Amino acid sequence: MKKGIGKIAGILLATSLIVAGCGDAEKTGGKASNASAKDAGAVTPGGELVWALAGTVTTDSLDAHKAGFAPTTRVMRSIYDSLVVELPDHTFQPWLATSWELAADKKSYTFHLRKDVKFHDGTPFNAEAVKFNFDRIKDPATKASSSLNELGSYESTDVIDEFTVKVNFKAPFAPFLSNAAKVDLGFVSPTAVKKFGDAFPQNPVGTGPFKLKKITPSTQVEFEKNPDYNWGPANAKHQGPAYLDKLTVKYVEEEATRVSVLQSKQVQVADIIPPQNLVALKADKNFNVQETELLQANFTLYLNIQKAPWNDLKVRQAVRSALDIDSAVKTIYLGTSKQGWSPLSTQQFAYSPSRENAYKPDLASSNKTLDEAGWAKGADGYRAKDGKRLTIEVIDTQGNREKRLDLIAIFTQQLKQAGIELKVISLPTGTYTERRNKGEYDLIAASQFSGDPDVLRQLYSTKGPSKTNNIAKTNDPKLDDLLEQGYLETDAEKRKAIYKEVQEYIIDNVYTIPTYVFNYSVASSKEVHGITFDSPAWPVFYDAWIQK
């Protein structure tokens, strides 16, 4: 009885002090789109599920703390567990932590851990493991990616006893529980990290329901169920090992091929279904389709505002006015996605609709502004000034994921009408990262998945983990201050007001140009059941099973 009361107390306390502000957000849970997704009767365990992944997982990125690309994090959810689980209504329930308390000064959390959890290598998950993981993320030598932002103002971890841990922050950090539910703050084996060193990403060891069996570089990764697993999250539909014996993830970047291998039964699951195929699959009784809005900073155009002429607000406004984003999104996504007006997706906590329709395509205004700025159109239709063509070089390393290059191709034609040349420069990941860090580009187009609006601090603040090298290249004291206030404020309504101002400020200054709101889709053969979604919206295969 005491343990149950502790769980309830932890949930209520955490929810009332931090997350209550998330409670009125719309649900993000996946929704089945046809009748065959209904209850199929008794579970039949066993078998192998093959998943055609929209992307490639590089062999150096299966480390929960270093991965930054969406395809990798989708895969890692099966390897790593989290302290808590976030529900679709943005409340929290136990996972590796059975209960928790927030200190009166709101600067520390005390977590009471399960006592039966082991890593895949047989070593125990305990308070020391929590400390090791959080300290590892904060250590500059780790070169952590998104996980660094997720820890915010983390200061230290105190081991109270073997299964009690106190996590300390330098200041209140409102997003922590939401971040603690994500795979970015999933737990790696301290023993395995020490054993494998730099090779750990190729030898990932977590506590999850599946463990690594084999990596075939550039082709696939194979997992087998963890036979000892008995600590699923509180919202799981069963406890004990996963139903599936094996989960194989094949890298299938080309969208037509993903659909083809699904329809031909070479795989049982495929994600990010192309818009032109969604309607057909939804109508086909042989398949299930699930869709959910991804909680994230939307796919956005980041002009390098530290580089002329993009440091001129009027020129940035001219670029935005030359774009008919709504038309482009409808053309490419066929009604399956809608235009994004804010840096945040619409179901994200604190999303503000206040700037929806605040601007519109205005080619005449764009041309007038550029004429006044001295950019004259030549015989080829492109503008130039002082012998230099008005060219926007957008660097890219992820290809046509989510049909993004198709969208940019339409933007290329639209911008040409204003005399602006848009060129896509496709680069290997290493070169892309180097040029991005050095600011050697005109534009980057990117999104960033996250369960909390604090993700904007990573993207726009000089005080966040990216410092002056934030992707938006902003160095704005007012914006920095607002984003600091956002994570310090634990009152839900006040926090919403802060992020409303943040969104308006970013849009009004054209620090970025949002494009579309992404609906993540998963299609599966009718025999597959039990696929669910975590926060922000990645597939969970723990409860999945194949009807026999």
Side-chain angles (χ1 to χ4, degrees), residues 250-498:
K250 292 184 177 293
Y251 311 151
V252 188
E253 294 191 79
E254 210 284 313
E255 57 185 27
T257 305
R258 275 200 312 284
V259 174
S260 175
V261 294
L262 176 67
Q263 292 176 325
S264 63
K265 306 293 186 179
Q266 295 177 61
V267 305
Q268 295 109 323
V269 176
D271 69 343
I272 309 187
I273 305 302
Q276 65 270 25
N277 298 106
L278 269 176
V279 174
L281 286 173
K282 287 178 182 178
D284 191 332
K285 63 181 181 180
N286 293 308
F287 298 95
N288 305 324
V289 176
Q290 295 169 274
E291 296 177 273
T292 183
E293 180 181 302
L294 179 62
L295 301 183
Q296 66 170 345
N298 289 323
F299 182 66
T300 295
L301 307 181
Y302 295 89
L303 282 164
N304 186 348
I305 64 173
Q306 294 181 6
K307 182 178 180 181
W310 323 120
N311 57 350
D312 185 334
L313 173 60
K314 290 185 177 180
V315 174
R316 298 198 301 274
Q317 289 172 330
V319 172
R320 187 173 68 182
S321 295
L323 297 172
D324 186 345
I325 297 172
D326 182 56
S327 173
V329 169
K330 287 177 178 176
T331 298
I332 296 301
Y333 300 105
L334 306 177
T336 62
S337 290
K338 57 187 177 183
Q339 178 177 357
W341 293 96
S342 164
L344 298 176
S345 55
T346 61
Q347 293 186 21
Q348 181 77 274
F349 166 66
Y351 168 77
S352 173
S354 64
R355 287 298 185 268
E356 290 182 2
N357 301 301
Y359 52 88
K360 60 182 179 180
D362 191 340
L363 185 59
S365 173
S366 179
N367 278 310
K368 181 174 183 293
T369 297
L370 293 173
D371 284 339
E372 292 174 349
W375 293 94
K377 274 190 177 181
D380 59 1
Y382 290 111
R383 295 180 179 275
K385 182 178 181 181
D386 299 327
K388 182 181 179 181
R389 179 180 284 192
L390 186 56
T391 299
I392 300 175
E393 280 194 354
V394 52
I395 59 173
D396 175 74
T397 190
Q398 296 195 59
N400 202 27
R401 183 165 68 88
E402 298 173 21
K403 301 183 80 68
R404 292 174 174 182
L405 293 186
D406 292 345
L407 184 69
I408 289 174
I410 292 184
F411 290 159
T412 299
Q413 296 304 313
Q414 293 176 347
L415 289 171
K416 186 176 181 180
Q417 301 305 307
I420 303 169
E421 181 183 38
L422 181 64
K423 294 171 60 177
V424 176
I425 309 297
S426 297
L427 301 168
T429 301
T431 307
Y432 168 88
T433 301
E434 182 180 357
R435 285 191 56 174
R436 171 175 158 174
N437 289 340
K438 291 182 178 180
E440 296 176 351
Y441 62 89
D442 297 300
L443 185 148
I444 281 177
S447 60
Q448 180 61 57
F449 51 89
S450 179
D452 190 273
D454 183 58
V455 65
L456 299 178
R457 191 168 52 89
Q458 176 183 351
L459 303 174
Y460 294 88
S461 174
T462 63
K463 295 183 178 180
S466 304
K467 304 300 181 184
T468 56
N469 203 28
N470 61 71
I471 190 173
K473 294 300 181 186
T474 47
N475 191 345
D476 187 321
K478 179 178 179 179
L479 184 56
D480 282 357
D481 183 58
L482 285 170
L483 290 169
E484 292 295 297
Q485 292 178 39
Y487 81 76
L488 290 167
E489 181 57 66
T490 57
D491 180 276
E493 294 306 315
K494 291 180 180 178
R495 197 164 183 243
K496 285 182 183 178
I498 292 168

Side-chain angles (χ1 to χ4, degrees), residues 7-34:
K7 286 185 180 180
I8 294 171
I11 295 167
L12 291 176
L13 180 59
T15 302
S16 62
L17 290 175
I18 294 292
V19 210
C22 306
D24 61 349
E26 292 181 49
K27 293 186 177 182
T28 61
K31 180 173 63 177
S33 301
N34 50 28

Side-chain angles (χ1 to χ4, degrees), residues 38-339:
K38 293 181 179 179
D39 182 21
V43 172
T44 52
E48 176 186 9
L49 187 145
V50 184
W51 169 19
L53 177 75
T56 298
V57 176
T58 57
T59 56
D60 63 350
S61 61
L62 282 174
D63 183 330
H65 305 154
K66 296 183 180 182
F69 286 137
T72 303
T73 54
R74 294 201 296 272
V75 172
M76 291 195 310
R77 180 75 282 179
S78 295
I79 311 173
Y80 302 110
D81 291 333
S82 301
L83 280 175
V84 298
V85 60
E86 182 171 2
L87 304 186
D89 65 357
H90 300 296
T91 57
F92 300 93
Q93 288 192 10
W95 194 345
L96 296 183
T98 59
S99 63
W100 53 91
E101 301 90 43
L102 179 63
D105 64 2
K106 302 178 184 179
K107 294 182 181 181
S108 65
Y109 288 84
T110 299
F111 290 95
H112 305 279
L113 308 177
R114 292 187 65 123
K115 300 177 181 180
D116 59 345
V117 179
K118 292 187 182 298
F119 289 100
H120 299 153
D121 57 11
T123 58
F125 169 80
N126 52 26
E128 290 287 355
V130 174
K131 176 177 175 58
F132 175 90
N133 273 256
F134 289 165
D135 287 351
R136 178 179 188 249
I137 292 169
K138 205 67 176 178
D139 184 350
T142 302
K143 298 181 180 179
S145 182
S146 301
S147 59
L148 187 60
N149 188 71
E150 310 298 357
L151 268 188
S153 59
Y154 172 77
E155 184 172 40
S156 64
T157 296
D158 298 329
V159 174
I160 307 302
D161 59 41
E162 186 176 3
F163 297 106
T164 307
V165 64
K166 184 181 178 184
V167 183
N168 306 302
F169 296 87
K170 295 176 183 177
F173 185 56
F176 180 59
L177 282 183
S178 181
N179 293 345
K182 292 175 56 183
V183 72
D184 307 69
L185 296 187
F187 292 95
V188 303
S189 163
T191 300
V193 169
K194 294 170 185 175
K195 174 182 177 181
F196 293 109
D198 291 341
F200 177 79
Q202 296 96 56
N203 299 274
V205 178
T207 65
F210 294 93
K211 58 183 181 179
L212 180 69
K213 182 177 181 181
K214 181 181 179 182
I215 295 176
T216 305
S218 305
T219 301
Q220 66 181 34
V221 58
E222 301 169 49
F223 301 107
E224 58 187 357
K225 74 176 178 183
N226 177 3
D228 300 321
Y229 195 80
N230 195 31
W231 45 82
N235 66 334
K237 297 176 182 177
H238 84 288
Q239 289 297 314
Y243 293 132
L244 298 170
D245 289 334
K246 187 176 179 181
L247 174 64
T248 298
V249 186
K250 292 184 177 293
Y251 311 151
V252 188
E253 294 191 79
E254 210 284 313
E255 57 185 27
T257 305
R258 275 200 312 284
V259 174
S260 175
V261 294
L262 176 67
Q263 292 176 325
S264 63
K265 306 293 186 179
Q266 295 177 61
V267 305
Q268 295 109 323
V269 176
D271 69 343
I272 309 187
I273 305 302
Q276 65 270 25
N277 298 106
L278 269 176
V279 174
L281 286 173
K282 287 178 182 178
D284 191 332
K285 63 181 181 180
N286 293 308
F287 298 95
N288 305 324
V289 176
Q290 295 169 274
E291 296 177 273
T292 183
E293 180 181 302
L294 179 62
L295 301 183
Q296 66 170 345
N298 289 323
F299 182 66
T300 295
L301 307 181
Y302 295 89
L303 282 164
N304 186 348
I305 64 173
Q306 294 181 6
K307 182 178 180 181
W310 323 120
N311 57 350
D312 185 334
L313 173 60
K314 290 185 177 180
V315 174
R316 298 198 301 274
Q317 289 172 330
V319 172
R320 187 173 68 182
S321 295
L323 297 172
D324 186 345
I325 297 172
D326 182 56
S327 173
V329 169
K330 287 177 178 176
T331 298
I332 296 301
Y333 300 105
L334 306 177
T336 62
S337 290
K338 57 187 177 183
Q339 178 177 357

